[in-house]
Amino acid sequence: MNELEQEIHTLSEQLAAYQKAYYVDNRPLVSDLEYDRLFDRLVALEAKHPHLKRVDSPTQRVGSDLDSTLGEVEHTIPVLSLDKAYSDGELLAWIEKTEAKIGEDVGIVIEEKIDGISIVLYYEDGLLVRAVTRGNGMVGNDVTANVKTIASIPLRLPTEANLAVRGEIYLPKANFATLNASLEVPFANPRNLAAGTIRRIKSSEVAKVPLQIFVYEGFSKDVVQSDHLQILSTLASYGFRLNPNLGYFAKDGVQARQALEAAGLSGFGGSFSDLASYIQEHTLKRSSLDYEIDGLVAKVNSVSAREMLGYTGHHPRWALAYKFESPQAQTVLQSIDVQVGRTGRVTPVARVTPVQVAGSTISNIT
Ligand code: IVH
């Protein structure tokens, strides 16, 4: 390396570390002034010697004025959705059913269900090569240049692994309020503004919006992990931003707390009997969070148990979304019939004009 290459290298490494400290760890290592000075120096050097600009240069955070195409790309992992439940009873029943299926006790990780934009980050040999929206689960839009402006997303990992990481891009509520107030045509919610932003043609426009990310799944043939807590902890060690509001539940609450601690993760550990109150507290906590969530996600911790449970075409059988609000629809009551069961129990049945609710047609209601 000559002197110039060395300087570009050192600046890139330094700035990447400063970005991680500031945007992921919330612990700035240098003053804004010093950061800007180094950043501007690197921008100038790269402008003068474009061939020396690294593919993972931290200057990409400011985006580019050039139009990007948002072409369609095929996912190399199945990007599935989640099955849903609307009560803690349903969730507990699902846990019991899951234990029966695999014939052993399970540990369940509970994460917040972030109401943002689902994204898959593809790393090859440790480099972020593609960021793709969920799309239809098989094909999504290539939004790499835009995603690279999100400073809490590592452009290079401290390992040369090939990795696919799933996460949710969102706009913090506070930023949404200020930004939206300045728009001629305001957006209805932070999710819509984030979705519009991530599809912008110029990444320099995206860079102006303080988008954030929480990552929640990692897939890799190179890095073998035995459970989800370990996957999360590895993702954190690679520099990804995790949601600290995590719960881990098992038959034995003490063991659950130990497992969280062993993985170096913050969060609530408890037994399954704590689950209902955890959900209730979280439902109340929802409005005080700086981002929108529309539920919680329960996930089987053990990777081998996940493999045994497998997938349907739509969702993994090892995860379940608990939604805060059940889907609603309005219709017209036609008549009320009375059904008499075998035991003589009487059940009134409302016959209504058929109406679509969350994908199913409802015409009878008990
Ligand atoms: S796990 C195979 N965890 O919810 C893994 N999804 O309704 C499936 N989402 O498409 C996803 N927060 O975009 C998972 N903590 C979380 C999540 C989460 C938000 C989104 C995700 C998914 C959608 C399903």
Side-chain angles (χ1 to χ4, degrees):
M1 251 193 250
N2 64 30
E3 215 171 294
L4 178 65
E5 288 167 346
Q6 184 61 54
E7 185 179 3
I8 291 181
H9 175 77
T10 309
L11 281 170
S12 302
E13 299 282 322
Q14 260 182 319
L15 287 163
Y18 294 161
Q19 287 176 349
K20 154 94 166 43
Y22 188 92
Y23 291 103
V24 180
D25 306 334
N26 295 321
R27 257 187 243 123
L29 294 174
V30 286
S31 68
D32 291 2
L33 204 71
E34 174 66 356
Y35 177 84
D36 290 346
R37 189 181 70 77
L38 298 173
F39 196 91
D40 293 346
R41 171 81 183 144
L42 183 57
V43 170
L45 288 177
E46 287 176 346
K48 220 163 143 192
H49 314 279
H51 63 290
L52 292 181
K53 178 168 173 166
R54 290 168 39 152
V55 282
D56 61 340
S57 172
T59 60
Q60 292 171 92
R61 304 300 194 189
V62 296
S64 149
D65 283 336
L66 298 176
D67 286 5
S68 67
T69 49
L70 304 191
E72 289 186 349
V73 233
E74 248 176 72
H75 285 290
T76 52
I77 56 162
V79 188
L80 300 176
S81 195
L82 293 167
D83 201 10
K84 298 181 194 73
Y86 298 98
S87 69
D88 50 30
E90 268 179 273
L91 179 57
L92 286 165
W94 173 78
I95 295 173
E96 259 178 47
K97 198 177 76 187
T98 304
E99 285 189 327
K101 265 189 201 163
I102 59 173
E104 57 184 67
D105 293 347
V106 291
I108 298 287
V109 180
I110 305 275
E111 294 170 2
E112 288 176 328
K113 188 167 184 298
I114 312 299
D115 195 9
I117 312 305
S118 192
I119 195 87
V120 188
L121 308 169
Y122 290 99
Y123 290 83
E124 283 172 16
D125 300 329
L127 266 185
L128 175 63
V129 290
R130 264 184 318 285
V132 187
T133 60
R134 181 173 182 278
N136 63 8
M138 282 180 325
V139 177
N141 279 124
D142 185 337
V143 289
T144 313
N146 291 349
V147 162
K148 281 184 172 179
T149 68
I150 303 174
S152 53
I153 296 179
L155 303 176
R156 183 166 47 94
L157 307 177
T159 158
E160 289 187 358
N162 294 311
L163 191 71
V165 176
R166 282 195 67 174
E168 208 80 0
I169 290 173
Y170 68 92
L171 182 64
K173 284 183 194 168
N175 298 113
F176 169 71
T178 18
L179 242 166
N180 215 30
S182 71
L183 295 179
E184 245 171 75
V185 189
F187 286 87
N189 53 53
R191 207 200 91 85
N192 290 0
L193 210 174
T197 305
I198 212 65
R199 289 175 183 288
R200 302 278 305 239
I201 302 296
K202 287 191 195 340
S203 56
S204 54
E205 293 298 318
V206 182
K208 292 179 193 157
V209 181
L211 295 174
Q212 259 302 5
I213 190 166
F214 282 133
V215 305
Y216 45 72
E217 290 290 331
F219 303 87
S220 175
K221 289 196 179 81
D222 304 340
V223 198
V224 182
Q225 309 272 23
S226 65
D227 59 54
H228 188 61
L229 294 178
Q230 206 186 346
I231 293 173
L232 292 177
S233 134
T234 303
L235 288 173
S237 77
Y238 287 171
F240 289 101
R241 190 162 178 268
L242 300 186
N243 182 344
N245 288 335
L246 190 75
Y248 183 57
F249 296 85
K251 203 162 149 189
D252 178 3
V254 178
Q255 267 177 19
R257 282 188 283 280
Q258 280 169 350
L260 265 180
E261 203 176 312
L265 295 169
S266 72
F268 177 89
S271 76
F272 290 133
S273 56
D274 301 320
L275 198 49
S277 60
Y278 181 80
I279 291 177
Q280 207 179 2
E281 276 168 33
H282 227 98
T283 310
L284 297 174
K285 200 171 165 183
R286 182 183 180 196
S287 59
S288 67
L289 297 171
D290 189 32
Y291 44 87
E292 302 225 309
I293 62 174
D294 56 352
L296 301 171
V297 186
K299 300 176 176 180
V300 171
N301 190 34
S302 148
V303 168
S304 58
R306 285 184 177 196
E307 279 162 5
M308 271 172 72
L309 291 160
Y311 300 84
T312 71
H314 170 262
H315 61 262
R317 288 198 192 87
W318 45 259
L320 185 69
Y322 165 87
K323 302 269 282 185
F324 292 131
E325 277 139 35
S326 22
Q328 299 186 353
Q330 272 192 9
T331 182
V332 177
L333 178 66
Q334 307 288 3
S335 62
I336 297 175
D337 293 346
V338 176
Q339 273 175 359
V340 185
R342 256 186 312 112
T343 56
R345 190 157 127 175
V346 173
T347 314
V349 184
R351 311 287 180 195
V352 298
T353 308
V355 62
Q356 285 284 117
V357 186
S360 353
T361 309
I362 304 297
S363 36
N364 306 312
I365 304 161
T366 53

